[in-house]
Amino acid sequence: MERKQFIQSILKGAVGMTTLSAFNKFTENLQEQDQLMPVLFVGHGSPMNGIEDTEFSRRWTQMAKEIPTPKAVLVVSAHWFTQGTKITAMDFPKTIHDFGGFPKELFEVQYPAPGDPLLAKETAALIHTTQVELNHDWGLDHGTWTIVRHMYPDAKIPVLQLSIDYSKGPQYHYDLAKEIYNLRKKGVLIIGSGNMVHNLRMVAWDKLNETDYGYDWAKNINDKFKSLILDGNHKPLINYSELGKDALLAIPTPEHYLPLLYTLGLKGSKDNVSFFNDKAVGGSLTMTSVKIG
């Protein structure tokens, strides 16, 4: 569907918008505000962080107290990898337990945050490089709810997910993020959820409880990533496959790394950058997280 047809379909949608003025009013659903909302990249690690009181989950709770209360949360999760780009557009997204082999307690968690269909449509309308599908089948996967339930335990703030198109390369995702920059002006907290270093095949399972245990290559490339982020030098991060063997070990598949590029694509020229939860886990994972703004 071409852009013109897409706009027309929205104008004739279920909310009854039949004029351009009505559409303009709709796209102003969230008013711009003086304070620009920060952007986060969060290393989410094990799903157990969703129910356990860990140093990582405690920092997520604290982060919510340090930043402005958002009007909505939009998460780009490593665990919604799709053909094409989609956004959740239901009134009440379900809690997805997309994992196996964990305690029953984890499967029983429900995070009943509302969705925001109007915001989903507004976000889709901001993106010009591709047609964004309004999705009513997904929900909130563990890349989202394990983090957000610690940040906003009352589950009153609308939460949406934006999928990652697996058919596209890193530059595409970085550029797509720039198209939703204006959501920061409207009080939307955008979170990229993944892990900078994520190689499950090389995890030292017997070292999971050893604090900040990381292989040399994992710590070296993690430090390289941080240095490039602080310098605002995003090109090598986009072309990460050219950073050498350590980068290829850190990113054997791209889904946990690409949310970082969404976060970096949303960085403004005046934004400060800082890190939190900057530790390795099990040798081949890092929880290093980024706050922009």
Side-chain angles (χ1 to χ4, degrees), residues 9-273:
S9 69
I10 293 177
L11 293 175
K12 296 176 182 179
V15 293
M17 295 176 294
T18 58
T19 67
L20 183 58
S21 61
F23 178 69
N24 289 337
K25 184 177 180 180
F26 153 66
T27 58
E28 294 169 1
N29 178 44
L30 293 180
Q31 297 298 317
E32 291 191 6
Q33 55 190 37
D34 294 335
Q35 189 174 16
L36 196 64
M37 199 70 192
V39 183
L40 302 177
F41 171 75
V42 178
H44 64 244
S46 168
M48 291 300 291
N49 286 313
I51 60 173
E52 292 181 340
D53 179 24
T54 67
E55 61 178 308
F56 305 123
S57 64
R58 287 193 295 272
R59 189 65 186 90
W60 300 339
T61 300
Q62 183 61 33
M63 179 61 70
K65 298 175 181 178
E66 296 173 1
I67 64 176
T69 301
K71 295 179 180 177
V73 179
L74 176 64
V75 182
V76 181
S77 167
H79 296 280
W80 199 19
F81 219 40
T82 62
Q83 175 69 58
T85 301
K86 306 180 182 184
I87 190 168
T88 55
M90 65 286 287
D91 289 314
F92 294 97
K94 63 187 175 183
T95 303
I96 301 174
H97 303 90
D98 51 330
F99 41 71
F102 289 94
K104 180 181 178 182
E105 180 185 5
L106 190 62
F107 289 89
E108 292 176 344
V109 172
Q110 295 295 315
Y111 185 69
D116 190 333
L118 288 180
L119 178 58
K121 291 179 181 179
E122 180 175 355
T123 303
L126 289 173
I127 297 173
H128 296 181
T129 54
T130 188
Q131 178 185 339
V132 179
E133 176 187 322
L134 300 178
N135 179 275
H136 297 86
D137 299 321
W138 193 244
L140 306 180
D141 60 50
H142 82 268
T144 294
W145 63 259
T146 58
I147 299 166
V148 180
R149 75 184 299 258
H150 286 290
M151 297 181 72
Y152 308 109
D154 291 341
K156 294 180 179 179
I157 297 173
V159 181
L160 297 79
Q161 283 197 208
L162 183 71
S163 77
I164 301 172
D165 185 348
Y166 60 73
S167 70
K168 304 295 185 182
Q171 185 71 56
Y172 174 89
H173 297 290
Y174 179 83
D175 292 340
L176 188 149
K178 293 182 179 297
E179 297 188 79
I180 59 173
Y181 180 86
N182 279 347
L183 293 179
R184 294 185 61 191
K185 300 178 180 179
K186 297 188 174 188
V188 179
L189 174 61
I190 303 174
I191 299 175
S193 174
N195 291 96
M196 283 194 201
V197 176
H198 186 269
N199 191 326
L200 291 182
R201 293 183 180 181
M202 297 184 70
V203 168
W205 299 105
D206 60 332
K207 302 287 188 179
L208 286 178
N209 294 323
E210 186 171 326
T211 301
D212 200 23
Y213 179 78
Y215 301 132
D216 287 344
W217 62 262
K219 289 200 168 186
N220 288 341
I221 195 63
N222 201 67
D223 287 343
K224 180 65 173 179
F225 291 157
K226 289 192 297 177
S227 178
L228 291 168
I229 291 169
L230 285 175
D231 290 343
N233 188 5
H234 296 170
K235 187 173 181 180
L237 292 161
I238 295 168
N239 300 317
Y240 65 86
S241 61
E242 299 176 10
L243 288 176
K245 182 180 178 181
D246 289 353
L248 296 179
L249 286 171
I251 313 167
T253 55
E255 74 285 343
H256 277 75
Y257 181 81
L258 291 176
L260 172 65
L261 297 186
Y262 278 83
T263 301
L264 298 179
L266 287 158
K267 181 180 180 296
S269 59
K270 298 181 180 180
D271 281 323
N272 293 321
V273 176

Side-chain angles (χ1 to χ4, degrees), residues 273-292:
V273 176
S274 59
F275 300 103
F276 60 101
N277 282 350
D278 187 18
K279 291 189 176 181
V281 175
S284 61
L285 304 171
T286 62
M287 296 292 288
T288 305
S289 303
V290 187
K291 177 178 178 283
I292 293 176

